[in-house]
Amino acid sequence: MAKEVVLSGIRPTGFLHLGNYFGAMRNYVRMQDEYNCYFFVANWHSLTTHPNTAELQLSVHRVIAENIACGLNPEKVALYVQSDVPEIAELYLYLNMLAYKGELEKTASFKEKVRLNPENVNAGLLTYPVLMASDILIHRAVKVPVGKDQEQHLEMARNFAQRFNYRYGNVFPEPYAFNYGGELIKILSLDGNGKMSKSENQMATLYLADDDDTIKKKIMKAKTDGGPTEPNSDMPDYIKNIFTLMKQVSTADTVKKFEDDFNNSSTGNVIIRYGDMKKQLAEDMISFIKPIREKAADIQNNKELLFKIITQGADKARASATNTLQEVRKAMRMIY
Ligand code: ADP
Ligand code: TRP
């Protein structure tokens, strides 16, 4: 049986961080044997909010390099840059004729971006969900690993697919957000304010490109408190987050030791030492991030290799995209 098609896109708008790794990239890596995977850098999407392209090439190269350093194998998956697949733009044109101004204006992400940046409400921003639907439908993908904030975009992609199928004939399957393995982990910011994110406090965000000293400094500054006031207390979110991070990078024995220390602590008898815990976490985090950072830097500095990977990805993606577009044109009777 043919493998199901999985697809996801990453906007090259900043450095990738641990939230991206544990919430997204690690799952991409696990999926590559089981599914027919397409992962791409959404550089057209980034133009809707970041029109300055001075750093774009660097960011695109970094996203590609970091994804490979995290374990994506360009031989197994199609890893490509959106703008290398012009077929997506043609499908976007057709789907734009099936998308209504009213529904686009009602999209939550559109309203949020208008609020944040009222001087640049461009047509690309309005039709962002149409472009995203084109990214997905061009490979007839059915499983789309994304976070909760993308749910509405997926629903719109299903609507556009249905409208196309209804009007012109059955070409597209309906895509759904996909949560691989069930548990979704959320990494919080080290200052305890919300989720770790590209756009939040940089000192509270651990990037895959951070050097050893920076990792240590950031972790030692992570928010803690005076310790639990009674045995087996509930953990505040910011303490739970330190344990979550530790579970990802430290040994089970290490985690257990600090969990026991936490559970046996109370006012006047605080056994857990957050300073020691953070020191241990910093050490283990450095061992975890260092090889990824170094591998990513090696790839990024090797322009020949990057070019080869990007070209190979584009070839794979275009083969599949051309196929779908032929079906689309046939269904629309646009063959002359
Ligand atoms: P950011 O918020 O840093 O801009 P994106 O919204 O581009 O990140 O998300 C890219 C992927 O990384 C999504 O699949 C998202 O669910 C995941 N992700 C982002 N931040 C976190 C986080 N703090 N914890 C877990 N997953 C996250
Ligand atoms: N909109 C997604 C985000 O902001 C990025 C993206 C673009 C995407 N095209 C996609 C994700 C197609 C999944 C499938 O994170």
Side-chain angles (χ1 to χ4, degrees), residues 11 13 17 19-20 22-24 28 145-150 185-188 195-199:
R11 291 197 316 145
T13 49
H17 53 79
N20 297 137
F22 292 116
Y28 299 169
V146 283
K148 233 187 157 27
D149 59 325
Q150 300 297 312
I185 104 166
K186 188 159 134 192
I187 306 292
L188 302 185
K195 68 166 205 156
M196 196 174 274
S197 151
K198 290 189 199 103
S199 42

mmCIF file with all atom_site columns, all heavy atoms in Angstrom, residues 11 13 17 19-20 22-24 28 145-150 185-188 195-199, ligand 1:
data_model
loop_
_atom_site.group_PDB
_atom_site.id
_atom_site.type_symbol
_atom_site.label_atom_id
_atom_site.label_alt_id
_atom_site.label_comp_id
_atom_site.label_asym_id
_atom_site.label_entity_id
_atom_site.label_seq_id
_atom_site.pdbx_PDB_ins_code
_atom_site.Cartn_x
_atom_site.Cartn_y
_atom_site.Cartn_z
_atom_site.occupancy
_atom_site.B_iso_or_equiv
_atom_site.pdbx_formal_charge
_atom_site.auth_seq_id
_atom_site.auth_comp_id
_atom_site.auth_asym_id
_atom_site.auth_atom_id
_atom_site.pdbx_PDB_model_num
ATOM   1   N N   . ARG A 1 11  ? 8.158  28.539 8.756  1.00 0.00 ? 11  ARG A N   1
ATOM   2   C CA  . ARG A 1 11  ? 8.476  29.883 8.259  1.00 0.00 ? 11  ARG A CA  1
ATOM   3   C C   . ARG A 1 11  ? 9.874  30.298 8.718  1.00 0.00 ? 11  ARG A C   1
ATOM   4   O O   . ARG A 1 11  ? 10.206 30.140 9.890  1.00 0.00 ? 11  ARG A O   1
ATOM   5   C CB  . ARG A 1 11  ? 7.454  30.887 8.797  1.00 0.00 ? 11  ARG A CB  1
ATOM   6   C CG  . ARG A 1 11  ? 6.088  30.663 8.173  1.00 0.00 ? 11  ARG A CG  1
ATOM   7   C CD  . ARG A 1 11  ? 5.182  31.845 8.353  1.00 0.00 ? 11  ARG A CD  1
ATOM   8   N NE  . ARG A 1 11  ? 5.230  32.384 9.691  1.00 0.00 ? 11  ARG A NE  1
ATOM   9   C CZ  . ARG A 1 11  ? 5.109  33.684 9.966  1.00 0.00 ? 11  ARG A CZ  1
ATOM   10  N NH1 . ARG A 1 11  ? 4.928  34.558 9.013  1.00 0.00 ? 11  ARG A NH1 1
ATOM   11  N NH2 . ARG A 1 11  ? 5.151  34.105 11.202 1.00 0.00 ? 11  ARG A NH2 1
ATOM   12  N N   . THR A 1 13  ? 11.474 32.735 9.890  1.00 0.00 ? 13  THR A N   1
ATOM   13  C CA  . THR A 1 13  ? 11.404 34.084 10.447 1.00 0.00 ? 13  THR A CA  1
ATOM   14  C C   . THR A 1 13  ? 12.227 34.249 11.719 1.00 0.00 ? 13  THR A C   1
ATOM   15  O O   . THR A 1 13  ? 12.127 35.258 12.386 1.00 0.00 ? 13  THR A O   1
ATOM   16  C CB  . THR A 1 13  ? 9.940  34.463 10.758 1.00 0.00 ? 13  THR A CB  1
ATOM   17  O OG1 . THR A 1 13  ? 9.358  33.388 11.483 1.00 0.00 ? 13  THR A OG1 1
ATOM   18  C CG2 . THR A 1 13  ? 9.152  34.712 9.498  1.00 0.00 ? 13  THR A CG2 1
ATOM   19  N N   . HIS A 1 17  ? 14.124 27.041 18.132 1.00 0.00 ? 17  HIS A N   1
ATOM   20  C CA  . HIS A 1 17  ? 14.380 26.900 19.570 1.00 0.00 ? 17  HIS A CA  1
ATOM   21  C C   . HIS A 1 17  ? 13.920 25.530 20.067 1.00 0.00 ? 17  HIS A C   1
ATOM   22  O O   . HIS A 1 17  ? 13.386 24.726 19.279 1.00 0.00 ? 17  HIS A O   1
ATOM   23  C CB  . HIS A 1 17  ? 13.696 28.037 20.330 1.00 0.00 ? 17  HIS A CB  1
ATOM   24  C CG  . HIS A 1 17  ? 12.239 28.183 20.007 1.00 0.00 ? 17  HIS A CG  1
ATOM   25  N ND1 . HIS A 1 17  ? 11.271 27.370 20.544 1.00 0.00 ? 17  HIS A ND1 1
ATOM   26  C CD2 . HIS A 1 17  ? 11.589 29.032 19.171 1.00 0.00 ? 17  HIS A CD2 1
ATOM   27  C CE1 . HIS A 1 17  ? 10.102 27.719 20.084 1.00 0.00 ? 17  HIS A CE1 1
ATOM   28  N NE2 . HIS A 1 17  ? 10.251 28.726 19.230 1.00 0.00 ? 17  HIS A NE2 1
ATOM   29  N N   . GLY A 1 19  ? 11.431 24.640 21.837 1.00 0.00 ? 19  GLY A N   1
ATOM   30  C CA  . GLY A 1 19  ? 9.994  24.400 21.650 1.00 0.00 ? 19  GLY A CA  1
ATOM   31  C C   . GLY A 1 19  ? 9.743  23.826 20.268 1.00 0.00 ? 19  GLY A C   1
ATOM   32  O O   . GLY A 1 19  ? 9.024  22.844 20.103 1.00 0.00 ? 19  GLY A O   1
ATOM   33  N N   . ASN A 1 20  ? 10.375 24.421 19.265 1.00 0.00 ? 20  ASN A N   1
ATOM   34  C CA  . ASN A 1 20  ? 10.242 23.909 17.893 1.00 0.00 ? 20  ASN A CA  1
ATOM   35  C C   . ASN A 1 20  ? 10.782 22.479 17.819 1.00 0.00 ? 20  ASN A C   1
ATOM   36  O O   . ASN A 1 20  ? 10.191 21.616 17.173 1.00 0.00 ? 20  ASN A O   1
ATOM   37  C CB  . ASN A 1 20  ? 11.044 24.758 16.890 1.00 0.00 ? 20  ASN A CB  1
ATOM   38  C CG  . ASN A 1 20  ? 10.571 26.194 16.795 1.00 0.00 ? 20  ASN A CG  1
ATOM   39  O OD1 . ASN A 1 20  ? 11.379 27.107 16.754 1.00 0.00 ? 20  ASN A OD1 1
ATOM   40  N ND2 . ASN A 1 20  ? 9.271  26.410 16.786 1.00 0.00 ? 20  ASN A ND2 1
ATOM   41  N N   . PHE A 1 22  ? 11.245 20.046 20.327 1.00 0.00 ? 22  PHE A N   1
ATOM   42  C CA  . PHE A 1 22  ? 10.471 19.004 21.020 1.00 0.00 ? 22  PHE A CA  1
ATOM   43  C C   . PHE A 1 22  ? 9.012  18.981 20.576 1.00 0.00 ? 22  PHE A C   1
ATOM   44  O O   . PHE A 1 22  ? 8.356  17.944 20.648 1.00 0.00 ? 22  PHE A O   1
ATOM   45  C CB  . PHE A 1 22  ? 10.587 19.171 22.538 1.00 0.00 ? 22  PHE A CB  1
ATOM   46  C CG  . PHE A 1 22  ? 11.970 18.872 23.045 1.00 0.00 ? 22  PHE A CG  1
ATOM   47  C CD1 . PHE A 1 22  ? 12.734 19.860 23.634 1.00 0.00 ? 22  PHE A CD1 1
ATOM   48  C CD2 . PHE A 1 22  ? 12.511 17.604 22.893 1.00 0.00 ? 22  PHE A CD2 1
ATOM   49  C CE1 . PHE A 1 22  ? 14.022 19.589 24.085 1.00 0.00 ? 22  PHE A CE1 1
ATOM   50  C CE2 . PHE A 1 22  ? 13.796 17.322 23.332 1.00 0.00 ? 22  PHE A CE2 1
ATOM   51  C CZ  . PHE A 1 22  ? 14.550 18.318 23.936 1.00 0.00 ? 22  PHE A CZ  1
ATOM   52  N N   . GLY A 1 23  ? 8.502  20.141 20.108 1.00 0.00 ? 23  GLY A N   1
ATOM   53  C CA  . GLY A 1 23  ? 7.104  20.198 19.695 1.00 0.00 ? 23  GLY A CA  1
ATOM   54  C C   . GLY A 1 23  ? 6.890  19.835 18.237 1.00 0.00 ? 23  GLY A C   1
ATOM   55  O O   . GLY A 1 23  ? 5.791  19.463 17.841 1.00 0.00 ? 23  GLY A O   1
ATOM   56  N N   . ALA A 1 24  ? 7.927  19.944 17.409 1.00 0.00 ? 24  ALA A N   1
ATOM   57  C CA  . ALA A 1 24  ? 7.719  19.730 15.984 1.00 0.00 ? 24  ALA A CA  1
ATOM   58  C C   . ALA A 1 24  ? 8.806  18.850 15.348 1.00 0.00 ? 24  ALA A C   1
ATOM   59  O O   . ALA A 1 24  ? 8.535  17.732 14.901 1.00 0.00 ? 24  ALA A O   1
ATOM   60  C CB  . ALA A 1 24  ? 7.636  21.076 15.262 1.00 0.00 ? 24  ALA A CB  1
ATOM   61  N N   . TYR A 1 28  ? 8.898  15.137 13.284 1.00 0.00 ? 28  TYR A N   1
ATOM   62  C CA  . TYR A 1 28  ? 9.170  14.974 11.843 1.00 0.00 ? 28  TYR A CA  1
ATOM   63  C C   . TYR A 1 28  ? 10.151 13.815 11.651 1.00 0.00 ? 28  TYR A C   1
ATOM   64  O O   . TYR A 1 28  ? 9.988  12.969 10.771 1.00 0.00 ? 28  TYR A O   1
ATOM   65  C CB  . TYR A 1 28  ? 9.828  16.215 11.236 1.00 0.00 ? 28  TYR A CB  1
ATOM   66  C CG  . TYR A 1 28  ? 9.050  17.505 11.286 1.00 0.00 ? 28  TYR A CG  1
ATOM   67  C CD1 . TYR A 1 28  ? 9.674  18.715 10.956 1.00 0.00 ? 28  TYR A CD1 1
ATOM   68  C CD2 . TYR A 1 28  ? 7.700  17.540 11.638 1.00 0.00 ? 28  TYR A CD2 1
ATOM   69  C CE1 . TYR A 1 28  ? 8.987  19.911 10.987 1.00 0.00 ? 28  TYR A CE1 1
ATOM   70  C CE2 . TYR A 1 28  ? 7.018  18.738 11.665 1.00 0.00 ? 28  TYR A CE2 1
ATOM   71  C CZ  . TYR A 1 28  ? 7.663  19.924 11.350 1.00 0.00 ? 28  TYR A CZ  1
ATOM   72  O OH  . TYR A 1 28  ? 6.996  21.107 11.392 1.00 0.00 ? 28  TYR A OH  1
ATOM   73  N N   . PRO A 1 145 ? 1.364  17.742 10.432 1.00 0.00 ? 145 PRO A N   1
ATOM   74  C CA  . PRO A 1 145 ? 1.770  17.951 11.820 1.00 0.00 ? 145 PRO A CA  1
ATOM   75  C C   . PRO A 1 145 ? 1.994  19.436 12.108 1.00 0.00 ? 145 PRO A C   1
ATOM   76  O O   . PRO A 1 145 ? 2.983  20.020 11.648 1.00 0.00 ? 145 PRO A O   1
ATOM   77  C CB  . PRO A 1 145 ? 3.092  17.162 11.935 1.00 0.00 ? 145 PRO A CB  1
ATOM   78  C CG  . PRO A 1 145 ? 3.565  16.958 10.543 1.00 0.00 ? 145 PRO A CG  1
ATOM   79  C CD  . PRO A 1 145 ? 2.401  17.079 9.621  1.00 0.00 ? 145 PRO A CD  1
ATOM   80  N N   . VAL A 1 146 ? 1.057  20.018 12.842 1.00 0.00 ? 146 VAL A N   1
ATOM   81  C CA  . VAL A 1 146 ? 1.162  21.439 13.217 1.00 0.00 ? 146 VAL A CA  1
ATOM   82  C C   . VAL A 1 146 ? 0.574  21.625 14.614 1.00 0.00 ? 146 VAL A C   1
ATOM   83  O O   . VAL A 1 146 ? -0.144 20.765 15.112 1.00 0.00 ? 146 VAL A O   1
ATOM   84  C CB  . VAL A 1 146 ? 0.367  22.362 12.259 1.00 0.00 ? 146 VAL A CB  1
ATOM   85  C CG1 . VAL A 1 146 ? 1.074  22.580 10.955 1.00 0.00 ? 146 VAL A CG1 1
ATOM   86  C CG2 . VAL A 1 146 ? -1.043 21.842 12.039 1.00 0.00 ? 146 VAL A CG2 1
ATOM   87  N N   . GLY A 1 147 ? 0.861  22.767 15.183 1.00 0.00 ? 147 GLY A N   1
ATOM   88  C CA  . GLY A 1 147 ? 0.323  23.097 16.506 1.00 0.00 ? 147 GLY A CA  1
ATOM   89  C C   . GLY A 1 147 ? -1.135 23.547 16.406 1.00 0.00 ? 147 GLY A C   1
ATOM   90  O O   . GLY A 1 147 ? -1.683 23.717 15.313 1.00 0.00 ? 147 GLY A O   1
ATOM   91  N N   . LYS A 1 148 ? -1.722 23.745 17.562 1.00 0.00 ? 148 LYS A N   1
ATOM   92  C CA  . LYS A 1 148 ? -3.130 24.099 17.676 1.00 0.00 ? 148 LYS A CA  1
ATOM   93  C C   . LYS A 1 148 ? -3.471 25.397 16.940 1.00 0.00 ? 148 LYS A C   1
ATOM   94  O O   . LYS A 1 148 ? -4.562 25.542 16.390 1.00 0.00 ? 148 LYS A O   1
ATOM   95  C CB  . LYS A 1 148 ? -3.489 24.256 19.157 1.00 0.00 ? 148 LYS A CB  1
ATOM   96  C CG  . LYS A 1 148 ? -4.681 23.422 19.520 1.00 0.00 ? 148 LYS A CG  1
ATOM   97  C CD  . LYS A 1 148 ? -5.189 23.632 20.901 1.00 0.00 ? 148 LYS A CD  1
ATOM   98  C CE  . LYS A 1 148 ? -6.630 23.241 21.029 1.00 0.00 ? 148 LYS A CE  1
ATOM   99  N NZ  . LYS A 1 148 ? -7.113 22.215 20.107 1.00 0.00 ? 148 LYS A NZ  1
ATOM   100 N N   . ASP A 1 149 ? -2.531 26.330 16.933 1.00 0.00 ? 149 ASP A N   1
ATOM   101 C CA  . ASP A 1 149 ? -2.795 27.638 16.307 1.00 0.00 ? 149 ASP A CA  1
ATOM   102 C C   . ASP A 1 149 ? -3.049 27.523 14.801 1.00 0.00 ? 149 ASP A C   1
ATOM   103 O O   . ASP A 1 149 ? -3.535 28.467 14.179 1.00 0.00 ? 149 ASP A O   1
ATOM   104 C CB  . ASP A 1 149 ? -1.616 28.588 16.575 1.00 0.00 ? 149 ASP A CB  1
ATOM   105 C CG  . ASP A 1 149 ? -0.304 28.047 16.027 1.00 0.00 ? 149 ASP A CG  1
ATOM   106 O OD1 . ASP A 1 149 ? -0.116 26.823 16.054 1.00 0.00 ? 149 ASP A OD1 1
ATOM   107 O OD2 . ASP A 1 149 ? 0.527  28.846 15.557 1.00 0.00 ? 149 ASP A OD2 1
ATOM   108 N N   . GLN A 1 150 ? -2.736 26.366 14.207 1.00 0.00 ? 150 GLN A N   1
ATOM   109 C CA  . GLN A 1 150 ? -2.904 26.202 12.762 1.00 0.00 ? 150 GLN A CA  1
ATOM   110 C C   . GLN A 1 150 ? -4.189 25.465 12.389 1.00 0.00 ? 150 GLN A C   1
ATOM   111 O O   . GLN A 1 150 ? -4.490 25.253 11.211 1.00 0.00 ? 150 GLN A O   1
ATOM   112 C CB  . GLN A 1 150 ? -1.706 25.446 12.160 1.00 0.00 ? 150 GLN A CB  1
ATOM   113 C CG  . GLN A 1 150 ? -0.364 26.139 12.355 1.00 0.00 ? 150 GLN A CG  1
ATOM   114 C CD  . GLN A 1 150 ? -0.327 27.471 11.644 1.00 0.00 ? 150 GLN A CD  1
ATOM   115 O OE1 . GLN A 1 150 ? -0.699 27.584 10.480 1.00 0.00 ? 150 GLN A OE1 1
ATOM   116 N NE2 . GLN A 1 150 ? 0.119  28.509 12.342 1.00 0.00 ? 150 GLN A NE2 1
ATOM   117 N N   . ILE A 1 185 ? 4.046  17.954 23.562 1.00 0.00 ? 185 ILE A N   1
ATOM   118 C CA  . ILE A 1 185 ? 4.656  18.624 24.696 1.00 0.00 ? 185 ILE A CA  1
ATOM   119 C C   . ILE A 1 185 ? 4.803  20.113 24.416 1.00 0.00 ? 185 ILE A C   1
ATOM   120 O O   . ILE A 1 185 ? 4.993  20.521 23.273 1.00 0.00 ? 185 ILE A O   1
ATOM   121 C CB  . ILE A 1 185 ? 5.969  17.948 25.155 1.00 0.00 ? 185 ILE A CB  1
ATOM   122 C CG1 . ILE A 1 185 ? 7.199  18.709 24.718 1.00 0.00 ? 185 ILE A CG1 1
ATOM   123 C CG2 . ILE A 1 185 ? 6.093  16.574 24.653 1.00 0.00 ? 185 ILE A CG2 1
ATOM   124 C CD1 . ILE A 1 185 ? 8.372  18.169 25.503 1.00 0.00 ? 185 ILE A CD1 1
ATOM   125 N N   . LYS A 1 186 ? 4.638  20.866 25.473 1.00 0.00 ? 186 LYS A N   1
ATOM   126 C CA  . LYS A 1 186 ? 4.748  22.311 25.328 1.00 0.00 ? 186 LYS A CA  1
ATOM   127 C C   . LYS A 1 186 ? 5.899  22.790 26.210 1.00 0.00 ? 186 LYS A C   1
ATOM   128 O O   . LYS A 1 186 ? 5.935  22.481 27.405 1.00 0.00 ? 186 LYS A O   1
ATOM   129 C CB  . LYS A 1 186 ? 3.429  22.950 25.771 1.00 0.00 ? 186 LYS A CB  1
ATOM   130 C CG  . LYS A 1 186 ? 3.366  24.417 25.494 1.00 0.00 ? 186 LYS A CG  1
ATOM   131 C CD  . LYS A 1 186 ? 1.930  24.882 25.472 1.00 0.00 ? 186 LYS A CD  1
ATOM   132 C CE  . LYS A 1 186 ? 1.800  26.153 26.275 1.00 0.00 ? 186 LYS A CE  1
ATOM   133 N NZ  . LYS A 1 186 ? 0.403  26.506 26.524 1.00 0.00 ? 186 LYS A NZ  1
ATOM   134 N N   . ILE A 1 187 ? 6.843  23.477 25.611 1.00 0.00 ? 187 ILE A N   1
ATOM   135 C CA  . ILE A 1 187 ? 7.975  23.995 26.377 1.00 0.00 ? 187 ILE A CA  1
ATOM   136 C C   . ILE A 1 187 ? 7.675  25.452 26.737 1.00 0.00 ? 187 ILE A C   1
ATOM   137 O O   . ILE A 1 187 ? 7.369  26.262 25.852 1.00 0.00 ? 187 ILE A O   1
ATOM   138 C CB  . ILE A 1 187 ? 9.278  23.926 25.545 1.00 0.00 ? 187 ILE A CB  1
ATOM   139 C CG1 . ILE A 1 187 ? 9.529  22.498 25.006 1.00 0.00 ? 187 ILE A CG1 1
ATOM   140 C CG2 . ILE A 1 187 ? 10.467 24.422 26.355 1.00 0.00 ? 187 ILE A CG2 1
ATOM   141 C CD1 . ILE A 1 187 ? 9.864  21.469 26.025 1.00 0.00 ? 187 ILE A CD1 1
ATOM   142 N N   . LEU A 1 188 ? 7.772  25.765 28.024 1.00 0.00 ? 188 LEU A N   1
ATOM   143 C CA  . LEU A 1 188 ? 7.505  27.143 28.441 1.00 0.00 ? 188 LEU A CA  1
ATOM   144 C C   . LEU A 1 188 ? 8.779  27.971 28.386 1.00 0.00 ? 188 LEU A C   1
ATOM   145 O O   . LEU A 1 188 ? 9.895  27.440 28.414 1.00 0.00 ? 188 LEU A O   1
ATOM   146 C CB  . LEU A 1 188 ? 6.950  27.157 29.876 1.00 0.00 ? 188 LEU A CB  1
ATOM   147 C CG  . LEU A 1 188 ? 5.676  26.351 30.101 1.00 0.00 ? 188 LEU A CG  1
ATOM   148 C CD1 . LEU A 1 188 ? 5.184  26.554 31.537 1.00 0.00 ? 188 LEU A CD1 1
ATOM   149 C CD2 . LEU A 1 188 ? 4.590  26.759 29.114 1.00 0.00 ? 188 LEU A CD2 1
ATOM   150 N N   . LYS A 1 195 ? 4.648  30.415 26.464 1.00 0.00 ? 195 LYS A N   1
ATOM   151 C CA  . LYS A 1 195 ? 5.439  29.364 25.814 1.00 0.00 ? 195 LYS A CA  1
ATOM   152 C C   . LYS A 1 195 ? 6.727  29.913 25.219 1.00 0.00 ? 195 LYS A C   1
ATOM   153 O O   . LYS A 1 195 ? 6.815  31.097 24.891 1.00 0.00 ? 195 LYS A O   1
ATOM   154 C CB  . LYS A 1 195 ? 4.605  28.634 24.763 1.00 0.00 ? 195 LYS A CB  1
ATOM   155 C CG  . LYS A 1 195 ? 4.233  29.456 23.562 1.00 0.00 ? 195 LYS A CG  1
ATOM   156 C CD  . LYS A 1 195 ? 3.715  28.563 22.433 1.00 0.00 ? 195 LYS A CD  1
ATOM   157 C CE  . LYS A 1 195 ? 3.949  29.271 21.116 1.00 0.00 ? 195 LYS A CE  1
ATOM   158 N NZ  . LYS A 1 195 ? 4.033  28.462 19.952 1.00 0.00 ? 195 LYS A NZ  1
ATOM   159 N N   . MET A 1 196 ? 7.714  29.040 25.138 1.00 0.00 ? 196 MET A N   1
ATOM   160 C CA  . MET A 1 196 ? 8.968  29.441 24.501 1.00 0.00 ? 196 MET A CA  1
ATOM   161 C C   . MET A 1 196 ? 8.648  29.747 23.050 1.00 0.00 ? 196 MET A C   1
ATOM   162 O O   . MET A 1 196 ? 7.939  28.990 22.394 1.00 0.00 ? 196 MET A O   1
ATOM   163 C CB  . MET A 1 196 ? 9.967  28.293 24.600 1.00 0.00 ? 196 MET A CB  1
ATOM   164 C CG  . MET A 1 196 ? 11.387 28.691 24.324 1.00 0.00 ? 196 MET A CG  1
ATOM   165 S SD  . MET A 1 196 ? 12.554 27.348 24.624 1.00 0.00 ? 196 MET A SD  1
ATOM   166 C CE  . MET A 1 196 ? 12.899 27.512 26.360 1.00 0.00 ? 196 MET A CE  1
ATOM   167 N N   . SER A 1 197 ? 9.151  30.874 22.543 1.00 0.00 ? 197 SER A N   1
ATOM   168 C CA  . SER A 1 197 ? 8.764  31.279 21.195 1.00 0.00 ? 197 SER A CA  1
ATOM   169 C C   . SER A 1 197 ? 9.842  32.148 20.553 1.00 0.00 ? 197 SER A C   1
ATOM   170 O O   . SER A 1 197 ? 10.617 32.801 21.253 1.00 0.00 ? 197 SER A O   1
ATOM   171 C CB  . SER A 1 197 ? 7.436  32.032 21.282 1.00 0.00 ? 197 SER A CB  1
ATOM   172 O OG  . SER A 1 197 ? 7.341  32.956 20.249 1.00 0.00 ? 197 SER A OG  1
ATOM   173 N N   . LYS A 1 198 ? 9.849  32.138 19.212 1.00 0.00 ? 198 LYS A N   1
ATOM   174 C CA  . LYS A 1 198 ? 10.849 32.905 18.460 1.00 0.00 ? 198 LYS A CA  1
ATOM   175 C C   . LYS A 1 198 ? 10.785 34.383 18.802 1.00 0.00 ? 198 LYS A C   1
ATOM   176 O O   . LYS A 1 198 ? 11.781 35.080 18.784 1.00 0.00 ? 198 LYS A O   1
ATOM   177 C CB  . LYS A 1 198 ? 10.596 32.772 16.969 1.00 0.00 ? 198 LYS A CB  1
ATOM   178 C CG  . LYS A 1 198 ? 10.881 31.407 16.408 1.00 0.00 ? 198 LYS A CG  1
ATOM   179 C CD  . LYS A 1 198 ? 10.795 31.455 14.879 1.00 0.00 ? 198 LYS A CD  1
ATOM   180 C CE  . LYS A 1 198 ? 10.607 30.082 14.296 1.00 0.00 ? 198 LYS A CE  1
ATOM   181 N NZ  . LYS A 1 198 ? 9.235  29.817 13.864 1.00 0.00 ? 198 LYS A NZ  1
ATOM   182 N N   . SER A 1 199 ? 9.545  34.854 19.068 1.00 0.00 ? 199 SER A N   1
ATOM   183 C CA  . SER A 1 199 ? 9.379  36.305 19.190 1.00 0.00 ? 199 SER A CA  1
ATOM   184 C C   . SER A 1 199 ? 9.401  36.798 20.637 1.00 0.00 ? 199 SER A C   1
ATOM   185 O O   . SER A 1 199 ? 9.348  37.981 20.878 1.00 0.00 ? 199 SER A O   1
ATOM   186 C CB  . SER A 1 199 ? 8.059  36.697 18.528 1.00 0.00 ? 199 SER A CB  1
ATOM   187 O OG  . SER A 1 199 ? 7.070  35.759 18.876 1.00 0.00 ? 199 SER A OG  1
HETATM 188 P P1  . ADP B 2 .   ? 7.162  30.203 17.219 1.00 0.00 ? 1   ADP B P1  1
HETATM 189 O O1  . ADP B 2 .   ? 6.052  30.308 18.227 1.00 0.00 ? 1   ADP B O1  1
HETATM 190 O O2  . ADP B 2 .   ? 8.486  30.133 17.876 1.00 0.00 ? 1   ADP B O2  1
HETATM 191 O O3  . ADP B 2 .   ? 7.075  31.236 16.116 1.00 0.00 ? 1   ADP B O3  1
HETATM 192 P P2  . ADP B 2 .   ? 6.002  28.450 15.306 1.00 0.00 ? 1   ADP B P2  1
HETATM 193 O O4  . ADP B 2 .   ? 4.649  29.016 15.616 1.00 0.00 ? 1   ADP B O4  1
HETATM 194 O O5  . ADP B 2 .   ? 6.663  28.809 14.020 1.00 0.00 ? 1   ADP B O5  1
HETATM 195 O O6  . ADP B 2 .   ? 6.973  28.810 16.521 1.00 0.00 ? 1   ADP B O6  1
HETATM 196 O O7  . ADP B 2 .   ? 5.908  26.878 15.458 1.00 0.00 ? 1   ADP B O7  1
HETATM 197 C C1  . ADP B 2 .   ? 6.593  25.926 14.681 1.00 0.00 ? 1   ADP B C1  1
HETATM 198 C C2  . ADP B 2 .   ? 6.312  24.558 15.279 1.00 0.00 ? 1   ADP B C2  1
HETATM 199 O O8  . ADP B 2 .   ? 6.909  24.451 16.591 1.00 0.00 ? 1   ADP B O8  1
HETATM 200 C C3  . ADP B 2 .   ? 4.824  24.281 15.504 1.00 0.00 ? 1   ADP B C3  1
HETATM 201 O O9  . ADP B 2 .   ? 4.555  22.926 15.171 1.00 0.00 ? 1   ADP B O9  1
HETATM 202 C C4  . ADP B 2 .   ? 4.604  24.525 16.971 1.00 0.00 ? 1   ADP B C4  1
HETATM 203 O O10 . ADP B 2 .   ? 3.534  23.759 17.505 1.00 0.00 ? 1   ADP B O10 1
HETATM 204 C C5  . ADP B 2 .   ? 5.944  24.111 17.578 1.00 0.00 ? 1   ADP B C5  1
HETATM 205 N N1  . ADP B 2 .   ? 6.234  24.920 18.781 1.00 0.00 ? 1   ADP B N1  1
HETATM 206 C C6  . ADP B 2 .   ? 6.549  26.237 18.807 1.00 0.00 ? 1   ADP B C6  1
HETATM 207 N N2  . ADP B 2 .   ? 6.783  26.667 20.064 1.00 0.00 ? 1   ADP B N2  1
HETATM 208 C C7  . ADP B 2 .   ? 6.609  25.569 20.880 1.00 0.00 ? 1   ADP B C7  1
HETATM 209 C C8  . ADP B 2 .   ? 6.721  25.355 22.293 1.00 0.00 ? 1   ADP B C8  1
HETATM 210 N N3  . ADP B 2 .   ? 7.085  26.335 23.119 1.00 0.00 ? 1   ADP B N3  1
HETATM 211 N N4  . ADP B 2 .   ? 6.486  24.116 22.775 1.00 0.00 ? 1   ADP B N4  1
HETATM 212 C C9  . ADP B 2 .   ? 6.149  23.101 21.952 1.00 0.00 ? 1   ADP B C9  1
HETATM 213 N N5  . ADP B 2 .   ? 6.020  23.235 20.600 1.00 0.00 ? 1   ADP B N5  1
HETATM 214 C C10 . ADP B 2 .   ? 6.237  24.450 20.055 1.00 0.00 ? 1   ADP B C10 1
#
